[in-house]
Amino acid sequence: MSAVTDPDPDPDSPGSDPARKRRAHGMLKLYYGINEEGKPGEKRDPLDPCDINGARFEPEVYLNKLRKDSSLAELMDQETGMVKQIRSLDSDMQTLVYENYNKFISATDTIRKMKNDFKKMEDEMDCLAANMAAITEFSAQISGTLQGQHQQITKLSGVHTLLRKLQFLFELPSRLNQCVAMEAFPQAVTYYTKARSVLHQYQNMPSFQGIQNDCQNIMAQLAQKLREKFSDGVSSSSELSECVELLLRLDEPAEELCDKFLSHAQSRLEEELAGLEAELGAGSHQQAPPTASTSSTDILEFIDKGCNNFVSSLCLVIASYQELFITSVPGTSVSSRLQDGELASRDVPRMASSKLVEFVDRLCGRYFSVVELRIREEKGVGDNSLLVRALDRFHRRLQAVSKVLPGSGVPARGTEIVVGAARGRVRQYLAGLKSFYLDSLTDVRQALSAPRLPGKEAPSLAEVLGGLSSAVLNQVKSVLAYVHLFTAKDVSFASKPYFKGEFCSQGVREGLVVSFIQFICQSSQQFCESVGEKGAPSTPPSLLLLLSRLCLDYESSTISYILTLADEQFLGQDQSPLTPVSVLCAQAREVAQRLLNHYVKLQGLIVSLSLLPQDQSPLTPVSVLCAQAREVAQRLLNHYVKLQGLIVSQMLRKSVETRDWINTIEPRNVRAVMKRVVEDTTAIDVQVGLLYEEGVRKAQSSDSSKRTFSVYSSRQQPRYTPSYTPSAPMDTNLLSNIQKLFSERIDIFSTVEFNKVSVLTGIIKISLKTLLECVRLRSFGRFGLQQIQVDCHYLQLYLWRFVSDENVVHSLLDEIVGSAAHRCLDPAPMEQSVIEVICERG
């Protein structure tokens, strides 16, 4: 027993699998007489008594031969080898017993059980053989006894059957009356249909004719009762089906029964539709649509009521109608008569199908009108989970109609309603986003224009911009989350081609996200075109600056983020985040074939693009929207510069036009308007610096604030000199024009870059150019010229640090002073030291 349960655990022992296989292989070679080289070996004599593997092996003869032929060392080697073989065989035997121990136990139990079963089976077979012998003996006795009377018994049996049939015919009128009295109408119809063919065949015989007349009168009364019951409004669907079936078996016109059945069903279904219309507030399906929020129940409860009442009843009517008139159960009398004979010649199934389709389409059209009216009442822009659940339930229940009536267009019409509801919802969300954005702009505008309370800091432009941008972005995210419910995996209609393709790409991405981004750009661009009363700007400049930065932020990051979010939620919703290894292997195996077929695919793509429907428009690239946003931001910033320049220019223009420059007094200080210009410019610098970076400036000279303005430049000749001649102005203009040729041209209304220095440079250029043109239109006295010198020096002290190139300010101020000197009647310039003292004191 220990040899069985404790096999040799050494893997290198001869009992291991490789060693056992080699040994078995060697045994096969030995059996077939093949040596190690694969050649047939020596053929051994099977009768050799010294063959240890032979059948006639004799140990004594083998030992005697070994002692005679072998030396002591060979005998020892032979003993050692034989001991190893014995141990190997013992190990193999132990392994076989260990591996097949359970099989041996099971085989033993099976053999024991078979012995018991066969013993019982032998007893049963003996009993069966005895019974068969007794049956054979009794059958032989009966056959011998009735052999002479067999034909007579058969004849009597046929007569008995005929008499029973005649008895049934003679008792048929009384049986029919009894069934009618008991209201067992199906049994009466069964009796009559069973005997109708026989009565018709023997109607010429007086006795059968009387029975037939009585039966026809009784069945006419029964048919009348069935018609009354059919027309009764309190009959259930099962009772109606039974009445129709019995009337069809009584050869009633099928078309008339179809009309009556549908008319009765229509009255019930119209009551349910009237209940839905009353709840909706429509009153009648032909009246105008009700106003919003007239229904007291939510959309899900309303759809549930319609599906559970109207749709369920309609499916029951369709199923009952088809079972009665179109697809009766094979083998019944109704089915056989619908398929054969007179009813088949009139093509009753086709007629019944056409009536049913017309009936269903008419009622469902009215039901769909009610549902559409109820869906239109859902005008909110918040959570639409109730609407999606209602549409999902509506779509699922309509699939039951497609199962019972495959050829109907009801499911397709229901899908159109679901699609229309989704489109309308997207349009509502787009309108809600637009309204939210405009309201946010109104709040921002009020915050910018609200008076500042003492002791309370007003929100900076950066904070207002951050609040506006985050509010709009969060609203877009919320809307995308609401719309994403239409494409959820547990929604039945989400797997439809429209919702997997066009709704996600054209409806949500293009119709909602892209349209809203374009609306932001267009509405922002309109602020550049708005003009207030008398040409005054109607938009606060700070709002223009804020919108410009908003559009620039959209161009740099927000548009890409929103479109990526929309693409991940809608266009990439079917992509699994975990790719199976099998998919990757399949893709790797298809690489070669894809490369070989690339040319064919390209050609097919060209042809398919030419055949695409018009509604499948390509998706708007992100680059197009970003370019549009950047263009709007540029226009807004340019308009901001022009508007701020206009404000400063108006102050300068009024200060020049309202002053008498010829009779003015000697200047003692800087005019207040120049101080106001510097203050406003500083405020604009702070305002722009909150939203835009500093920008790049050119290298500035060390004496920028100490520059002086020469009145007697090379282009100026005083008029008061005694040497004045008529040709002097001509010489002066000529010199001025020559100097302009060698000076750098200043573009006043150049494109503004998105930085603070560029914005301030544009505003200052517009302001100084306005001052220059106003000076050219005025005449000056001595003190007027000196006042212009003081003002320009004051502006030069402060404005140079705001611009990208200080030479622009110096050049424009030089032109202003030069133009004033040119227009001066008595040009006597003020000393530079005096000018500096006045400006420092101011």
Side-chain angles (χ1 to χ4, degrees):
M1 189 67 183
S2 62
V4 176
T5 58
D6 189 18
D8 191 354
D10 187 4
D12 297 330
S13 65
S16 60
D17 289 343
R20 186 166 66 252
K21 290 181 180 178
R22 288 195 299 270
R23 185 166 57 256
H25 189 59
M27 292 180 180
L28 289 173
K29 287 183 177 181
L30 181 63
Y31 178 78
Y32 288 106
I34 300 176
N35 56 18
E36 293 297 331
E37 290 79 8
K39 299 179 181 180
E42 297 180 357
K43 189 173 182 180
R44 297 182 179 182
D45 186 4
L47 301 179
D48 186 6
C50 295
D51 185 7
I52 196 170
N53 295 320
R56 298 300 182 96
F57 173 71
E58 293 182 5
E60 295 295 335
V61 177
Y62 179 72
L63 290 175
N64 292 332
K65 184 178 178 181
L66 283 179
R67 284 195 297 268
K68 292 178 181 180
D69 298 341
S70 302
S71 63
L72 180 61
E74 291 176 348
L75 287 175
M76 295 296 293
D77 294 340
Q78 188 73 18
E79 181 186 7
T80 303
M82 189 171 295
V83 169
K84 290 182 178 180
Q85 291 181 5
I86 292 172
R87 290 178 178 175
S88 175
L89 292 175
D90 289 342
S91 177
D92 292 345
M93 182 62 69
Q94 291 176 2
T95 302
L96 290 174
V97 172
Y98 179 76
E99 292 178 350
N100 299 283
Y101 180 75
N102 292 331
K103 297 180 182 179
F104 292 154
I105 299 297
S106 177
T108 303
D109 295 340
T110 302
I111 293 172
R112 186 182 300 109
K113 186 177 181 181
M114 288 176 62
K115 287 182 179 179
N116 297 331
D117 293 342
F118 277 115
K119 185 176 181 181
K120 294 179 180 179
M121 189 178 297
E122 288 177 358
D123 297 338
E124 292 177 357
M125 291 298 294
D126 293 340
C127 181
L128 179 61
N131 293 335
M132 291 299 295
I135 291 171
T136 303
E137 182 180 357
F138 286 134
S139 177
Q141 293 178 2
I142 293 172
S143 298
T145 304
L146 301 177
Q147 185 175 4
Q149 301 177 357
H150 180 70
Q151 295 180 355
Q152 185 178 359
I153 292 174
T154 302
K155 184 177 180 180
L156 291 175
S157 178
V159 172
H160 178 70
T161 302
L162 180 59
L163 290 175
R164 289 184 59 186
K165 292 181 178 180
L166 291 175
Q167 183 181 4
F168 175 78
L169 290 176
F170 285 118
E171 294 177 354
L172 182 59
S174 60
R175 289 190 178 188
L176 293 178
N177 287 324
Q178 186 177 3
C179 290
V180 171
M182 296 173 60
E183 294 186 354
F185 299 144
Q187 187 68 29
V189 174
T190 301
Y191 287 156
Y192 178 71
T193 54
K194 185 186 297 185
R196 180 167 48 186
S197 59
V198 178
L199 293 175
H200 180 73
Q201 183 177 359
Y202 298 102
Q203 62 181 349
N204 295 329
M205 300 178 65
S207 57
F208 287 98
Q209 186 176 7
I211 296 175
Q212 184 181 16
N213 293 334
D214 294 340
C215 291
Q216 288 179 351
N217 294 331
I218 296 173
M219 297 312 295
Q221 298 176 4
L222 188 145
Q224 183 62 30
K225 291 185 177 181
L226 290 176
R227 293 191 194 95
E228 294 176 356
K229 187 176 182 181
F230 185 78
S231 302
D232 190 3
V234 298
S235 300
S236 62
S237 300
S238 59
E239 293 176 348
L240 291 176
S241 301
E242 182 181 357
C243 292
V244 172
E245 181 180 358
L246 295 178
L247 289 173
L248 285 175
R249 293 172 64 181
L250 293 177
D251 289 339
E252 289 290 325
E255 184 174 359
E256 181 180 350
L257 291 177
C258 289
D259 294 336
K260 290 183 178 180
F261 184 88
L262 294 178
S263 176
H264 186 274
Q266 182 176 356
S267 61
R268 288 176 171 271
L269 294 175
E270 284 182 346
E271 291 179 0
E272 297 174 354
L273 286 176
L276 292 176
E277 291 172 347
E279 183 176 353
L280 184 64
S284 174
H285 66 283
Q286 297 178 352
Q287 293 182 3
T291 58
S293 302
T294 57
S295 180
S296 59
T297 59
D298 57 48
I299 182 67
L300 181 60
E301 184 178 353
F302 183 84
I303 294 297
D304 274 342
K305 184 176 181 180
C307 292
N308 295 333
N309 295 337
F310 175 78
V311 178
S312 299
S313 301
L314 181 63
C315 291
L316 291 176
V317 170
I318 293 173
S320 302
Y321 183 89
Q322 288 180 334
E323 184 179 356
L324 293 174
F325 300 103
I326 301 175
T327 57
S328 299
V329 180
T332 61
S333 58
V334 179
S335 176
S336 61
R337 291 172 58 221
L338 284 176
Q339 298 172 2
D340 302 322
E342 181 183 0
L343 294 180
S345 63
R346 288 182 291 176
D347 202 0
V348 173
R350 180 178 300 179
M351 177 272 300
S353 297
S354 62
K355 287 181 176 293
L356 179 61
V357 171
E358 180 183 359
F359 169 80
V360 172
D361 291 343
R362 182 174 64 254
L363 287 179
C364 287
R366 182 177 171 185
Y367 172 64
F368 290 152
S369 299
V370 176
V371 172
E372 287 178 337
L373 290 176
R374 182 62 184 87
I375 292 176
R376 290 173 190 170
E377 294 185 3
E378 298 296 315
K379 298 184 181 298
V381 291
D383 186 12
N384 61 351
S385 57
L386 281 179
L387 176 62
V388 174
R389 289 171 56 193
L391 293 176
D392 178 49
R393 198 158 302 176
F394 173 74
H395 184 268
R396 289 179 186 272
R397 294 303 297 269
L398 288 183
Q399 302 309 309
V401 180
S402 64
K403 293 180 180 179
V404 296
L405 193 60
S408 175
V410 171
R413 180 73 178 91
T415 304
E416 292 179 1
I417 292 178
V418 174
V419 169
R423 290 175 178 171
R425 200 63 171 173
V426 169
R427 289 193 295 268
Q428 292 178 13
Y429 279 125
L430 177 59
L433 284 176
K434 292 179 180 179
S435 177
F436 178 82
Y437 176 73
L438 294 178
D439 293 341
S440 300
L441 280 187
T442 303
D443 296 339
V444 169
R445 193 165 184 172
Q446 292 177 354
L448 295 177
S449 60
R452 303 293 179 257
L453 298 177
K456 184 177 181 182
E457 294 184 359
S460 63
L461 283 181
E463 295 176 353
V464 175
L465 175 63
L468 175 63
S469 181
S470 61
V472 173
L473 184 59
N474 292 333
Q475 189 70 11
V476 171
K477 289 181 179 180
S478 300
V479 168
L480 289 179
Y482 295 151
V483 179
H484 190 259
L485 296 175
F486 283 99
T487 59
K489 294 183 179 179
D490 56 345
V491 177
S492 60
F493 56 78
S495 60
K496 295 297 179 181
Y498 169 77
F499 283 93
K500 295 180 67 175
E502 185 180 355
F503 177 75
C504 294
S505 60
Q506 301 300 322
V508 179
R509 190 186 189 275
E510 297 296 316
L512 181 62
V513 179
V514 175
S515 297
F516 179 62
I517 294 174
Q518 292 175 346
F519 171 77
I520 291 178
C521 297
Q522 293 171 1
S523 60
S524 301
Q525 187 174 345
Q526 290 177 358
F527 288 102
C528 301
E529 304 169 357
S530 60
V531 179
E533 297 180 357
K534 299 181 181 180
S538 62
T539 304
S542 56
L543 180 61
L544 294 175
L545 186 65
L546 186 144
L547 291 179
S548 173
R549 185 65 204 188
L550 177 67
C551 292
L552 189 63
D553 291 342
Y554 267 66
E555 183 266 338
S556 60
S557 60
T558 308
I559 291 178
S560 301
Y561 174 75
I562 293 176
L563 289 180
T564 302
L565 181 64
D567 293 343
E568 289 177 353
Q569 289 186 359
F570 294 91
L571 299 184
Q573 61 184 352
D574 295 332
Q575 298 178 358
S576 176
L578 298 178
T579 304
V581 179
S582 59
V583 175
L584 296 177
C585 295
Q587 291 176 353
R589 295 180 64 181
E590 293 176 1
V591 169
Q593 183 176 359
R594 290 183 178 180
L595 291 174
L596 292 176
N597 297 334
H598 189 62
Y599 172 77
V600 178
K601 290 184 178 181
L602 288 178
Q603 295 295 334
L605 180 60
I606 295 173
V607 177
S608 61
L609 287 176
S610 62
L611 299 177
L612 277 178
Q614 296 181 357
D615 55 348
Q616 295 184 357
S617 57
L619 299 179
T620 303
V622 179
S623 58
V624 174
L625 294 175
C626 292
Q628 184 179 357
R630 187 176 185 85
E631 180 183 358
V632 173
Q634 185 68 61
R635 295 190 61 180
L636 286 168
L637 194 60
N638 292 340
H639 191 66
Y640 171 79
V641 171
K642 293 178 182 180
L643 189 58
Q644 291 286 27
L646 177 62
I647 295 174
V648 178
S649 299
Q650 286 179 348
M651 291 191 300
L652 293 174
R653 181 174 58 84
K654 291 181 180 179
S655 68
V656 173
E657 292 178 352
T658 59
R659 190 179 183 94
D660 186 2
W661 294 98
I662 296 177
N663 301 318
T664 185
I665 62 175
E666 184 179 0
R668 291 291 182 265
N669 51 26
V670 181
R671 289 191 299 155
V673 67
M674 297 303 167
K675 298 180 181 179
R676 176 68 182 274
V677 168
V678 174
E679 292 175 357
D680 289 354
T681 305
T682 305
I684 294 172
D685 179 76
V686 174
Q687 187 182 65
V688 177
L690 295 174
L691 299 181
Y692 285 98
E693 293 76 13
E694 181 69 22
V696 180
R697 303 176 186 270
K698 290 185 179 181
Q700 300 173 355
S701 61
S702 59
D703 58 345
S704 298
S705 61
K706 301 298 183 180
R707 180 181 175 89
T708 60
F709 301 98
S710 175
V711 176
Y712 300 102
S713 61
S714 60
R715 62 188 180 96
Q716 180 66 37
Q717 181 177 353
R719 299 185 192 176
Y720 65 90
T721 57
S723 61
Y724 175 80
T725 60
S727 61
M730 295 296 298
D731 297 336
T732 303
N733 292 334
L734 179 61
L735 293 175
S736 176
N737 293 331
I738 291 174
Q739 185 179 5
K740 288 182 178 179
L741 290 176
F742 291 96
S743 62
E744 184 178 356
R745 180 178 180 274
I746 300 176
D747 189 3
I748 303 299
F749 296 100
S750 59
T751 302
V752 183
E753 298 179 0
F754 294 102
N755 56 71
K756 184 179 71 172
V757 172
S758 180
V759 172
L760 267 297
T761 301
I763 295 173
I764 292 174
K765 285 193 298 183
I766 294 174
S767 303
L768 296 182
K769 183 64 175 178
T770 303
L771 179 59
L772 173 62
E773 297 300 326
C774 293
V775 168
R776 286 177 177 175
L777 297 177
R778 305 291 293 180
S779 297
F780 296 87
R782 176 187 299 180
F783 297 141
L785 173 61
Q786 294 176 1
Q787 183 67 56
I788 292 295
Q789 283 184 282
V790 173
D791 293 343
C792 289
H793 185 75
Y794 182 81
L795 293 177
Q796 183 267 335
L797 288 176
Y798 295 98
L799 295 185
W800 66 270
R801 61 174 58 90
F802 296 118
V803 297
S804 59
D805 186 5
E806 65 182 40
N807 293 326
V808 174
V809 177
H810 298 331
S811 177
L812 290 173
L813 292 176
D814 280 344
E815 287 193 35
I816 293 171
V817 176
S819 297
H822 181 71
R823 299 285 298 174
C824 183
L825 301 177
D826 184 14
M830 181 178 289
E831 294 293 333
Q832 182 64 30
S833 60
V834 178
I835 295 175
E836 292 177 357
V837 171
I838 294 175
C839 291
E840 290 177 0
R841 186 177 58 189

